[in-house]
Amino acid sequence: MKILVTGGTGYIGSHTVVRLIENGFDSVIVDNLSNSKEDVVDKIRQITNVRPAFYKADLLDKESLSEIVKKEKPEAVIHFAGLKAVGESVALPLKYYHNNITGTLHLLEVMQENGIKDIVFSSSATVYGKPESVPIKEDFPLSATNPYGATKLMIEDILRDLYKADPTMNIAILRYFNPVGAHKSGLIGENPNGIPNNLVPYMMQVAAGKLEYLRVFGDDYNTKDGTGVRDYIHVEDLAGGHISALKKLAQRPGIVTYNLGTGIGYSVLDMVKEFSGVLGRELPYKICGRRPGDIDECYADTSLAKKEIGFAAEKNLKDMFVDGWNFQKTAER
Ligand code: NAD
Ligand code: UD1
């Protein structure tokens, strides 16, 4: 079965393409390389011995996308392509709405024109806004606190409307919690340009000596040690969740929505402690003020994904740091 993977050279996309190949799927990657590099295709080949088809194309260019789909004839789509930096989305909302929404509309139109009915979409725990309680279940109220989150929520709404109009579609909305870590080979992982915004990439750069210390954003949250609590999931586990979702779509379930997390919340200080253990030295940090927009706690109720698609994360926090650090060191060389 051939799968079109938009954003397939990106962080989560590349790990998922590896899993697709390992599970006997053919993949066709479409990526405009705005936040990834073409050499990822070769890294995927080094890991799997299979070089996936790759097209440098932009979802905003509907004609090119249409040509690729007509030529490759994929049977299903996994849609990762999108811009994802929360702070940048506040500064450049039109860029985010245009890229994420228009890109998705083009993709869905091309799918419709070519009779493709199955899609897995990368949503985010950000659609829960400021949750009233944890763990978070899929039927909790949805809201957006920034343009990035708004694009995720709008795309979810577009997919729900599309399903109402065409119940022969099969749609899996996957709400990722906090993906971290890297492939165990050290060949693919997350390597953000500039100073990272997210916790684990920032910690990696502190450990690598590129940044002096971690700024812990607030120690006065309503959590066990006052620092923010999140549900970190190894990107390899997350990639596996897409295979489970595709298998579910093959049973023609209509529209389904699942949290992909571990169900365990770790605080920023838990993260510092675990990574220091992996490094064999203390990771330097300073307690600073809160980051605007941050919430106290966010972790998943994972029972629905477990029940309906048999998904359960297997890797622990130590694996996430060992593999992430291995990638960071390989990327430095
Ligand atoms: P990423 O930036 O590494 O990958 C996204 C890829 O999409 C990049 O390779 C980029 O070049 C490509 N892209 C962007 N706009 C495009 C366009 N118009 N046409 C073609 N290609 C385009 O990000 P990621 O971390 O792998 O995230 C993948 C998806 O998962 C995104 O939709 C993101 O919003 C979502 N998500 C990510 C996280 C996270 O923490 N990483 C959490 C929740 C949801
Ligand atoms: C961020 C995004 C969210 C996105 C998620 C997954 C923001 C405001 N939110 O969430 O939309 O879905 O990533 O990609 O950017 N922290 C520090 N110091 C740092 C960085 C982070 O203490 O240098 C803390 C934060 O306060 C938070 C935790 O670490 O408590 C995790 O932060 P981060 O990795 O940015 O993820 P989220 O805030 O969960």
Side-chain angles (χ1 to χ4, degrees), residues 175-208:
R175 295 183 183 144
Y176 312 153
F177 280 66
N178 291 55
V180 298
H183 192 266
K184 56 187 167 306
S185 64
L187 289 169
I188 52 173
E190 187 172 30
N191 205 356
N193 295 328
I195 297 177
N197 297 307
N198 295 115
L199 177 65
V200 172
Y202 200 100
M203 291 169 86
M204 292 289 155
Q205 295 211 2
V206 173

PDB file of all heavy atoms in Angstrom, residues 175-208:
ATOM      1  N   ARG A 175      -3.681  13.469  18.259  1.00  0.00           N
ATOM      2  CA  ARG A 175      -3.243  14.627  19.068  1.00  0.00           C
ATOM      3  C   ARG A 175      -1.986  14.234  19.830  1.00  0.00           C
ATOM      4  O   ARG A 175      -2.049  13.489  20.812  1.00  0.00           O
ATOM      5  CB  ARG A 175      -4.369  15.049  20.029  1.00  0.00           C
ATOM      6  CG  ARG A 175      -5.590  15.562  19.265  1.00  0.00           C
ATOM      7  CD  ARG A 175      -6.674  16.048  20.216  1.00  0.00           C
ATOM      8  NE  ARG A 175      -7.851  16.477  19.482  1.00  0.00           N
ATOM      9  CZ  ARG A 175      -9.096  16.313  19.897  1.00  0.00           C
ATOM     10  NH1 ARG A 175      -9.343  15.725  21.062  1.00  0.00           N
ATOM     11  NH2 ARG A 175     -10.100  16.734  19.160  1.00  0.00           N
ATOM     12  N   TYR A 176      -0.852  14.755  19.323  1.00  0.00           N
ATOM     13  CA  TYR A 176       0.421  14.424  19.950  1.00  0.00           C
ATOM     14  C   TYR A 176       0.605  15.235  21.210  1.00  0.00           C
ATOM     15  O   TYR A 176       0.302  16.432  21.230  1.00  0.00           O
ATOM     16  CB  TYR A 176       1.610  14.774  19.038  1.00  0.00           C
ATOM     17  CG  TYR A 176       1.545  14.328  17.614  1.00  0.00           C
ATOM     18  CD1 TYR A 176       2.235  15.056  16.638  1.00  0.00           C
ATOM     19  CD2 TYR A 176       0.859  13.186  17.217  1.00  0.00           C
ATOM     20  CE1 TYR A 176       2.229  14.669  15.309  1.00  0.00           C
ATOM     21  CE2 TYR A 176       0.845  12.789  15.886  1.00  0.00           C
ATOM     22  CZ  TYR A 176       1.524  13.548  14.935  1.00  0.00           C
ATOM     23  OH  TYR A 176       1.516  13.177  13.625  1.00  0.00           O
ATOM     24  N   PHE A 177       1.197  14.619  22.222  1.00  0.00           N
ATOM     25  CA  PHE A 177       1.626  15.369  23.396  1.00  0.00           C
ATOM     26  C   PHE A 177       3.041  15.896  23.095  1.00  0.00           C
ATOM     27  O   PHE A 177       3.201  16.555  22.078  1.00  0.00           O
ATOM     28  CB  PHE A 177       1.400  14.530  24.666  1.00  0.00           C
ATOM     29  CG  PHE A 177      -0.071  14.624  25.036  1.00  0.00           C
ATOM     30  CD1 PHE A 177      -1.057  14.073  24.212  1.00  0.00           C
ATOM     31  CD2 PHE A 177      -0.491  15.363  26.124  1.00  0.00           C
ATOM     32  CE1 PHE A 177      -2.420  14.246  24.471  1.00  0.00           C
ATOM     33  CE2 PHE A 177      -1.851  15.537  26.409  1.00  0.00           C
ATOM     34  CZ  PHE A 177      -2.803  14.979  25.581  1.00  0.00           C
ATOM     35  N   ASN A 178       4.073  15.681  23.891  1.00  0.00           N
ATOM     36  CA  ASN A 178       5.358  16.337  23.595  1.00  0.00           C
ATOM     37  C   ASN A 178       6.367  15.346  23.012  1.00  0.00           C
ATOM     38  O   ASN A 178       7.018  14.622  23.778  1.00  0.00           O
ATOM     39  CB  ASN A 178       5.913  16.975  24.870  1.00  0.00           C
ATOM     40  CG  ASN A 178       5.087  18.161  25.328  1.00  0.00           C
ATOM     41  OD1 ASN A 178       3.875  18.042  25.520  1.00  0.00           O
ATOM     42  ND2 ASN A 178       5.707  19.302  25.490  1.00  0.00           N
ATOM     43  N   PRO A 179       6.535  15.329  21.697  1.00  0.00           N
ATOM     44  CA  PRO A 179       7.466  14.377  21.083  1.00  0.00           C
ATOM     45  C   PRO A 179       8.914  14.787  21.338  1.00  0.00           C
ATOM     46  O   PRO A 179       9.270  15.952  21.144  1.00  0.00           O
ATOM     47  CB  PRO A 179       7.171  14.487  19.574  1.00  0.00           C
ATOM     48  CG  PRO A 179       5.982  15.381  19.432  1.00  0.00           C
ATOM     49  CD  PRO A 179       5.854  16.165  20.687  1.00  0.00           C
ATOM     50  N   VAL A 180       9.722  13.853  21.776  1.00  0.00           N
ATOM     51  CA  VAL A 180      11.154  14.114  22.019  1.00  0.00           C
ATOM     52  C   VAL A 180      11.962  12.882  21.619  1.00  0.00           C
ATOM     53  O   VAL A 180      11.410  11.855  21.243  1.00  0.00           O
ATOM     54  CB  VAL A 180      11.443  14.469  23.509  1.00  0.00           C
ATOM     55  CG1 VAL A 180      10.719  15.738  23.930  1.00  0.00           C
ATOM     56  CG2 VAL A 180      11.087  13.327  24.440  1.00  0.00           C
ATOM     57  N   GLY A 181      13.302  13.003  21.699  1.00  0.00           N
ATOM     58  CA  GLY A 181      14.164  11.866  21.384  1.00  0.00           C
ATOM     59  C   GLY A 181      14.450  11.794  19.895  1.00  0.00           C
ATOM     60  O   GLY A 181      14.130  12.710  19.128  1.00  0.00           O
ATOM     61  N   ALA A 182      15.062  10.696  19.494  1.00  0.00           N
ATOM     62  CA  ALA A 182      15.513  10.549  18.116  1.00  0.00           C
ATOM     63  C   ALA A 182      15.609   9.063  17.793  1.00  0.00           C
ATOM     64  O   ALA A 182      15.510   8.216  18.693  1.00  0.00           O
ATOM     65  CB  ALA A 182      16.884  11.205  17.966  1.00  0.00           C
ATOM     66  N   HIS A 183      15.844   8.781  16.507  1.00  0.00           N
ATOM     67  CA  HIS A 183      16.021   7.379  16.115  1.00  0.00           C
ATOM     68  C   HIS A 183      17.281   6.833  16.771  1.00  0.00           C
ATOM     69  O   HIS A 183      18.281   7.536  16.892  1.00  0.00           O
ATOM     70  CB  HIS A 183      16.121   7.282  14.586  1.00  0.00           C
ATOM     71  CG  HIS A 183      16.017   5.871  14.102  1.00  0.00           C
ATOM     72  ND1 HIS A 183      17.130   5.086  13.875  1.00  0.00           N
ATOM     73  CD2 HIS A 183      14.937   5.087  13.841  1.00  0.00           C
ATOM     74  CE1 HIS A 183      16.725   3.887  13.484  1.00  0.00           C
ATOM     75  NE2 HIS A 183      15.410   3.867  13.451  1.00  0.00           N
ATOM     76  N   LYS A 184      17.228   5.573  17.168  1.00  0.00           N
ATOM     77  CA  LYS A 184      18.365   5.002  17.916  1.00  0.00           C
ATOM     78  C   LYS A 184      19.658   4.982  17.104  1.00  0.00           C
ATOM     79  O   LYS A 184      20.759   4.950  17.671  1.00  0.00           O
ATOM     80  CB  LYS A 184      18.027   3.613  18.455  1.00  0.00           C
ATOM     81  CG  LYS A 184      17.577   2.617  17.403  1.00  0.00           C
ATOM     82  CD  LYS A 184      17.109   1.331  18.062  1.00  0.00           C
ATOM     83  CE  LYS A 184      16.368   0.413  17.102  1.00  0.00           C
ATOM     84  NZ  LYS A 184      15.225   1.047  16.405  1.00  0.00           N
ATOM     85  N   SER A 185      19.566   5.037  15.776  1.00  0.00           N
ATOM     86  CA  SER A 185      20.759   5.065  14.916  1.00  0.00           C
ATOM     87  C   SER A 185      21.538   6.375  15.060  1.00  0.00           C
ATOM     88  O   SER A 185      22.697   6.447  14.670  1.00  0.00           O
ATOM     89  CB  SER A 185      20.338   4.923  13.451  1.00  0.00           C
ATOM     90  OG  SER A 185      19.538   6.052  13.084  1.00  0.00           O
ATOM     91  N   GLY A 186      20.884   7.420  15.575  1.00  0.00           N
ATOM     92  CA  GLY A 186      21.518   8.743  15.632  1.00  0.00           C
ATOM     93  C   GLY A 186      21.505   9.458  14.284  1.00  0.00           C
ATOM     94  O   GLY A 186      22.042  10.551  14.152  1.00  0.00           O
ATOM     95  N   LEU A 187      20.865   8.868  13.280  1.00  0.00           N
ATOM     96  CA  LEU A 187      20.887   9.462  11.929  1.00  0.00           C
ATOM     97  C   LEU A 187      19.798  10.513  11.728  1.00  0.00           C
ATOM     98  O   LEU A 187      19.980  11.465  10.975  1.00  0.00           O
ATOM     99  CB  LEU A 187      20.748   8.361  10.874  1.00  0.00           C
ATOM    100  CG  LEU A 187      21.978   7.462  10.713  1.00  0.00           C
ATOM    101  CD1 LEU A 187      21.648   6.237   9.851  1.00  0.00           C
ATOM    102  CD2 LEU A 187      23.136   8.229  10.088  1.00  0.00           C
ATOM    103  N   ILE A 188      18.636  10.309  12.356  1.00  0.00           N
ATOM    104  CA  ILE A 188      17.567  11.303  12.218  1.00  0.00           C
ATOM    105  C   ILE A 188      17.079  11.723  13.606  1.00  0.00           C
ATOM    106  O   ILE A 188      17.123  10.939  14.553  1.00  0.00           O
ATOM    107  CB  ILE A 188      16.374  10.806  11.352  1.00  0.00           C
ATOM    108  CG1 ILE A 188      15.848   9.451  11.844  1.00  0.00           C
ATOM    109  CG2 ILE A 188      16.748  10.746   9.882  1.00  0.00           C
ATOM    110  CD1 ILE A 188      14.576   8.980  11.143  1.00  0.00           C
ATOM    111  N   GLY A 189      16.654  12.985  13.687  1.00  0.00           N
ATOM    112  CA  GLY A 189      16.194  13.523  14.970  1.00  0.00           C
ATOM    113  C   GLY A 189      15.762  14.957  14.749  1.00  0.00           C
ATOM    114  O   GLY A 189      15.532  15.361  13.610  1.00  0.00           O
ATOM    115  N   GLU A 190      15.673  15.701  15.847  1.00  0.00           N
ATOM    116  CA  GLU A 190      15.227  17.084  15.717  1.00  0.00           C
ATOM    117  C   GLU A 190      16.424  18.002  15.878  1.00  0.00           C
ATOM    118  O   GLU A 190      17.135  17.929  16.870  1.00  0.00           O
ATOM    119  CB  GLU A 190      14.185  17.411  16.805  1.00  0.00           C
ATOM    120  CG  GLU A 190      13.568  18.778  16.604  1.00  0.00           C
ATOM    121  CD  GLU A 190      12.399  19.051  17.540  1.00  0.00           C
ATOM    122  OE1 GLU A 190      12.391  18.520  18.656  1.00  0.00           O
ATOM    123  OE2 GLU A 190      11.503  19.809  17.132  1.00  0.00           O
ATOM    124  N   ASN A 191      16.608  18.862  14.877  1.00  0.00           N
ATOM    125  CA  ASN A 191      17.756  19.760  14.916  1.00  0.00           C
ATOM    126  C   ASN A 191      17.295  21.165  14.552  1.00  0.00           C
ATOM    127  O   ASN A 191      17.503  21.625  13.435  1.00  0.00           O
ATOM    128  CB  ASN A 191      18.812  19.247  13.912  1.00  0.00           C
ATOM    129  CG  ASN A 191      20.197  19.711  14.299  1.00  0.00           C
ATOM    130  OD1 ASN A 191      20.347  20.470  15.262  1.00  0.00           O
ATOM    131  ND2 ASN A 191      21.193  19.282  13.547  1.00  0.00           N
ATOM    132  N   PRO A 192      16.628  21.855  15.489  1.00  0.00           N
ATOM    133  CA  PRO A 192      16.034  23.142  15.122  1.00  0.00           C
ATOM    134  C   PRO A 192      17.090  24.190  14.773  1.00  0.00           C
ATOM    135  O   PRO A 192      18.192  24.173  15.326  1.00  0.00           O
ATOM    136  CB  PRO A 192      15.269  23.551  16.379  1.00  0.00           C
ATOM    137  CG  PRO A 192      15.776  22.705  17.484  1.00  0.00           C
ATOM    138  CD  PRO A 192      16.423  21.506  16.896  1.00  0.00           C
ATOM    139  N   ASN A 193      16.734  25.077  13.861  1.00  0.00           N
ATOM    140  CA  ASN A 193      17.617  26.204  13.526  1.00  0.00           C
ATOM    141  C   ASN A 193      17.560  27.218  14.660  1.00  0.00           C
ATOM    142  O   ASN A 193      16.503  27.453  15.228  1.00  0.00           O
ATOM    143  CB  ASN A 193      17.122  26.908  12.249  1.00  0.00           C
ATOM    144  CG  ASN A 193      17.227  26.002  11.047  1.00  0.00           C
ATOM    145  OD1 ASN A 193      18.124  25.165  10.967  1.00  0.00           O
ATOM    146  ND2 ASN A 193      16.296  26.150  10.113  1.00  0.00           N
ATOM    147  N   GLY A 194      18.682  27.843  14.967  1.00  0.00           N
ATOM    148  CA  GLY A 194      18.704  28.911  15.969  1.00  0.00           C
ATOM    149  C   GLY A 194      18.511  28.383  17.378  1.00  0.00           C
ATOM    150  O   GLY A 194      18.710  27.196  17.644  1.00  0.00           O
ATOM    151  N   ILE A 195      18.096  29.284  18.266  1.00  0.00           N
ATOM    152  CA  ILE A 195      17.923  28.893  19.673  1.00  0.00           C
ATOM    153  C   ILE A 195      16.591  28.166  19.815  1.00  0.00           C
ATOM    154  O   ILE A 195      15.549  28.682  19.431  1.00  0.00           O
ATOM    155  CB  ILE A 195      17.974  30.132  20.594  1.00  0.00           C
ATOM    156  CG1 ILE A 195      19.366  30.775  20.471  1.00  0.00           C
ATOM    157  CG2 ILE A 195      17.686  29.762  22.048  1.00  0.00           C
ATOM    158  CD1 ILE A 195      19.536  32.040  21.272  1.00  0.00           C
ATOM    159  N   PRO A 196      16.613  26.933  20.362  1.00  0.00           N
ATOM    160  CA  PRO A 196      15.360  26.166  20.437  1.00  0.00           C
ATOM    161  C   PRO A 196      14.350  26.799  21.388  1.00  0.00           C
ATOM    162  O   PRO A 196      14.729  27.426  22.377  1.00  0.00           O
ATOM    163  CB  PRO A 196      15.809  24.808  20.998  1.00  0.00           C
ATOM    164  CG  PRO A 196      17.279  24.762  20.896  1.00  0.00           C
ATOM    165  CD  PRO A 196      17.768  26.170  20.878  1.00  0.00           C
ATOM    166  N   ASN A 197      13.073  26.611  21.089  1.00  0.00           N
ATOM    167  CA  ASN A 197      12.000  27.078  21.961  1.00  0.00           C
ATOM    168  C   ASN A 197      11.588  25.991  22.944  1.00  0.00           C
ATOM    169  O   ASN A 197      11.186  26.280  24.065  1.00  0.00           O
ATOM    170  CB  ASN A 197      10.755  27.442  21.135  1.00  0.00           C
ATOM    171  CG  ASN A 197      11.035  28.581  20.201  1.00  0.00           C
ATOM    172  OD1 ASN A 197      11.507  29.622  20.626  1.00  0.00           O
ATOM    173  ND2 ASN A 197      10.773  28.382  18.913  1.00  0.00           N
ATOM    174  N   ASN A 198      11.651  24.757  22.506  1.00  0.00           N
ATOM    175  CA  ASN A 198      11.121  23.662  23.315  1.00  0.00           C
ATOM    176  C   ASN A 198      12.168  23.140  24.295  1.00  0.00           C
ATOM    177  O   ASN A 198      13.373  23.273  24.069  1.00  0.00           O
ATOM    178  CB  ASN A 198      10.586  22.540  22.416  1.00  0.00           C
ATOM    179  CG  ASN A 198       9.392  23.004  21.598  1.00  0.00           C
ATOM    180  OD1 ASN A 198       9.459  23.061  20.390  1.00  0.00           O
ATOM    181  ND2 ASN A 198       8.318  23.386  22.260  1.00  0.00           N
ATOM    182  N   LEU A 199      11.674  22.547  25.358  1.00  0.00           N
ATOM    183  CA  LEU A 199      12.542  22.183  26.487  1.00  0.00           C
ATOM    184  C   LEU A 199      13.688  21.233  26.102  1.00  0.00           C
ATOM    185  O   LEU A 199      14.856  21.535  26.374  1.00  0.00           O
ATOM    186  CB  LEU A 199      11.677  21.535  27.589  1.00  0.00           C
ATOM    187  CG  LEU A 199      12.451  21.043  28.802  1.00  0.00           C
ATOM    188  CD1 LEU A 199      13.097  22.193  29.553  1.00  0.00           C
ATOM    189  CD2 LEU A 199      11.541  20.246  29.732  1.00  0.00           C
ATOM    190  N   VAL A 200      13.354  20.100  25.504  1.00  0.00           N
ATOM    191  CA  VAL A 200      14.405  19.088  25.327  1.00  0.00           C
ATOM    192  C   VAL A 200      15.480  19.534  24.322  1.00  0.00           C
ATOM    193  O   VAL A 200      16.675  19.404  24.614  1.00  0.00           O
ATOM    194  CB  VAL A 200      13.785  17.707  24.996  1.00  0.00           C
ATOM    195  CG1 VAL A 200      14.859  16.695  24.626  1.00  0.00           C
ATOM    196  CG2 VAL A 200      12.985  17.217  26.203  1.00  0.00           C
ATOM    197  N   PRO A 201      15.105  20.106  23.159  1.00  0.00           N
ATOM    198  CA  PRO A 201      16.160  20.613  22.272  1.00  0.00           C
ATOM    199  C   PRO A 201      17.036  21.668  22.960  1.00  0.00           C
ATOM    200  O   PRO A 201      18.251  21.711  22.744  1.00  0.00           O
ATOM    201  CB  PRO A 201      15.380  21.226  21.094  1.00  0.00           C
ATOM    202  CG  PRO A 201      14.079  20.497  21.089  1.00  0.00           C
ATOM    203  CD  PRO A 201      13.775  20.207  22.534  1.00  0.00           C
ATOM    204  N   TYR A 202      16.448  22.479  23.828  1.00  0.00           N
ATOM    205  CA  TYR A 202      17.224  23.486  24.556  1.00  0.00           C
ATOM    206  C   TYR A 202      18.215  22.800  25.501  1.00  0.00           C
ATOM    207  O   TYR A 202      19.396  23.147  25.559  1.00  0.00           O
ATOM    208  CB  TYR A 202      16.277  24.414  25.343  1.00  0.00           C
ATOM    209  CG  TYR A 202      16.910  25.735  25.733  1.00  0.00           C
ATOM    210  CD1 TYR A 202      16.654  26.892  25.008  1.00  0.00           C
ATOM    211  CD2 TYR A 202      17.784  25.822  26.821  1.00  0.00           C
ATOM    212  CE1 TYR A 202      17.244  28.104  25.348  1.00  0.00           C
ATOM    213  CE2 TYR A 202      18.380  27.020  27.165  1.00  0.00           C
ATOM    214  CZ  TYR A 202      18.109  28.160  26.432  1.00  0.00           C
ATOM    215  OH  TYR A 202      18.695  29.361  26.773  1.00  0.00           O
ATOM    216  N   MET A 203      17.714  21.785  26.223  1.00  0.00           N
ATOM    217  CA  MET A 203      18.588  21.048  27.152  1.00  0.00           C
ATOM    218  C   MET A 203      19.757  20.411  26.403  1.00  0.00           C
ATOM    219  O   MET A 203      20.887  20.385  26.897  1.00  0.00           O
ATOM    220  CB  MET A 203      17.787  19.945  27.870  1.00  0.00           C
ATOM    221  CG  MET A 203      16.753  20.477  28.842  1.00  0.00           C
ATOM    222  SD  MET A 203      15.649  19.156  29.412  1.00  0.00           S
ATOM    223  CE  MET A 203      16.595  18.497  30.766  1.00  0.00           C
ATOM    224  N   MET A 204      19.474  19.899  25.201  1.00  0.00           N
ATOM    225  CA  MET A 204      20.532  19.255  24.395  1.00  0.00           C
ATOM    226  C   MET A 204      21.637  20.262  24.077  1.00  0.00           C
ATOM    227  O   MET A 204      22.824  19.931  24.127  1.00  0.00           O
ATOM    228  CB  MET A 204      19.950  18.729  23.071  1.00  0.00           C
ATOM    229  CG  MET A 204      18.992  17.571  23.237  1.00  0.00           C
ATOM    230  SD  MET A 204      19.857  16.087  23.728  1.00  0.00           S
ATOM    231  CE  MET A 204      18.556  15.194  24.557  1.00  0.00           C
ATOM    232  N   GLN A 205      21.228  21.486  23.754  1.00  0.00           N
ATOM    233  CA  GLN A 205      22.236  22.491  23.377  1.00  0.00           C
ATOM    234  C   GLN A 205      23.013  22.988  24.594  1.00  0.00           C
ATOM    235  O   GLN A 205      24.174  23.365  24.472  1.00  0.00           O
ATOM    236  CB  GLN A 205      21.566  23.633  22.623  1.00  0.00           C
ATOM    237  CG  GLN A 205      20.989  23.133  21.297  1.00  0.00           C
ATOM    238  CD  GLN A 205      20.993  24.167  20.196  1.00  0.00           C
ATOM    239  OE1 GLN A 205      21.451  25.290  20.371  1.00  0.00           O
ATOM    240  NE2 GLN A 205      20.480  23.772  19.046  1.00  0.00           N
ATOM    241  N   VAL A 206      22.386  22.965  25.765  1.00  0.00           N
ATOM    242  CA  VAL A 206      23.123  23.296  26.992  1.00  0.00           C
ATOM    243  C   VAL A 206      24.173  22.204  27.230  1.00  0.00           C
ATOM    244  O   VAL A 206      25.352  22.486  27.478  1.00  0.00           O
ATOM    245  CB  VAL A 206      22.167  23.422  28.210  1.00  0.00           C
ATOM    246  CG1 VAL A 206      22.953  23.587  29.507  1.00  0.00           C
ATOM    247  CG2 VAL A 206      21.209  24.598  28.015  1.00  0.00           C
ATOM    248  N   ALA A 207      23.741  20.956  27.099  1.00  0.00           N
ATOM    249  CA  ALA A 207      24.682  19.839  27.327  1.00  0.00           C
ATOM    250  C   ALA A 207      25.834  19.877  26.323  1.00  0.00           C
ATOM    251  O   ALA A 207      26.967  19.542  26.653  1.00  0.00           O
ATOM    252  CB  ALA A 207      23.930  18.512  27.220  1.00  0.00           C
ATOM    253  N   ALA A 208      25.541  20.329  25.099  1.00  0.00           N
ATOM    254  CA  ALA A 208      26.568  20.389  24.050  1.00  0.00           C
ATOM    255  C   ALA A 208      27.471  21.613  24.216  1.00  0.00           C
ATOM    256  O   ALA A 208      28.405  21.804  23.436  1.00  0.00           O
ATOM    257  CB  ALA A 208      25.895  20.407  22.676  1.00  0.00           C
TER     258      ALA A 208
END
